[in-house]
């Protein structure tokens, strides 16, 4: 699979249920290869492997993923922590079997760069900041998708 990284989480650790007293590490990222299709990729493993893999690329890089495990996603549980994707599947990376190679999008396919700027949500599924200000009381307690742009950054 070849795509551009459009999102990435930080490395996290969890107690390993099989080896009491040790921890397993994970991070995930989302890749996109067309305006319509993108998929979440998750990696679990030892700290050295996960940190090294996470540091090997960033959002905006093109990656080639070889030998991932394809697994059905558990939509309700997984989409709390990852972007909602149009696919019913996710990719799992294994330290022993999978390889992630990074390359310049210019070298791979310049069309992938344009995918970085496309929203991942349906354009009809957003609230503007004006809508939220005007209807704040009626929206209280709801989870909303917001589409906004940063106009300025200062101290």
């Amino acid at each position: 699979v070849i795509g551009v990284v459009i999102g990435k989480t930080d490395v996290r650790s969890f107690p390993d249920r099989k080896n009491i007293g040790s921890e397993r590490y994970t991070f995930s990222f989302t890749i996109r290869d067309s305006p319509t299709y993108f998929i979440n990729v998750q990696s679990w493993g030892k700290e050295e492997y996960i940190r090294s893999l996470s540091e090997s690329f960033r959002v905006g890089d093109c990656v080639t993923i070889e030998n991932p495990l394809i697994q059905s996603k558990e939509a309700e549980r997984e989409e709390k922590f990852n972007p909602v994707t149009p696919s019913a599947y996710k990719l799992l990376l294994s330290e022993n079997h999978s390889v992630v190679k990074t390359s310049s999008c210019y070298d791979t396919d310049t069309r992938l760069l344009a995918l970085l700027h496309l929203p991942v949500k349906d354009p009809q599924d957003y609230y503007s900041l004006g809508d939220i200000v005007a209807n704040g009381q009626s929206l209280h307690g709801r989870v909303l998708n917001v589409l906004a742009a940063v106009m300025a950054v200062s101290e």
Side-chain angles (χ1 to χ4, degrees), residues 1-5 27 29 31 41 49 52-58 60-68 91 93-94 97-105 107-109 112:
V1 178
I2 298 172
V4 63
V5 178
F27 86 102
F29 58 100
I31 62 167
V41 183
Y49 167 70
S52 173
L53 182 59
S54 176
E55 292 167 2
S56 70
F57 62 88
R58 60 181 192 261
D61 286 347
C62 288
V63 294
T64 301
I65 301 173
E66 298 175 0
N67 297 324
L91 302 179
L93 300 181
S94 158
H97 300 101
S98 306
V99 176
V100 177
K101 298 176 184 174
T102 60
S103 61
S104 163
C105 287
D107 296 339
T108 308
D109 188 343
L112 291 174

Side-chain angles (χ1 to χ4, degrees), residues 64-127:
T64 301
I65 301 173
E66 298 175 0
N67 297 324
L69 176 65
I70 300 168
Q71 192 174 61
S72 296
K73 67 180 178 183
E74 300 168 40
E76 214 173 279
R77 187 175 69 114
E78 292 182 30
E79 292 180 347
K80 286 182 184 177
F81 307 105
N82 294 304
V84 177
T85 64
S87 173
Y89 304 96
K90 65 180 178 180
L91 302 179
L92 286 175
L93 300 181
S94 158
E95 183 173 1
N96 297 327
H97 300 101
S98 306
V99 176
V100 177
K101 298 176 184 174
T102 60
S103 61
S104 163
C105 287
Y106 294 110
D107 296 339
T108 308
D109 188 343
T110 54
R111 292 176 295 180
L112 291 174
L113 283 175
L115 301 176
L116 276 170
H117 306 292
L118 294 178
V120 294
K121 292 281 190 178
D122 177 349
Q124 307 305 316
D125 191 26
Y126 289 109
Y127 283 85

Side-chain angles (χ1 to χ4, degrees), residues 14-24:
F14 296 92
D16 189 339
R17 293 183 194 151
K18 294 178 184 173
N19 299 315
I20 305 302
S22 63
E23 294 189 336
R24 292 183 69 205

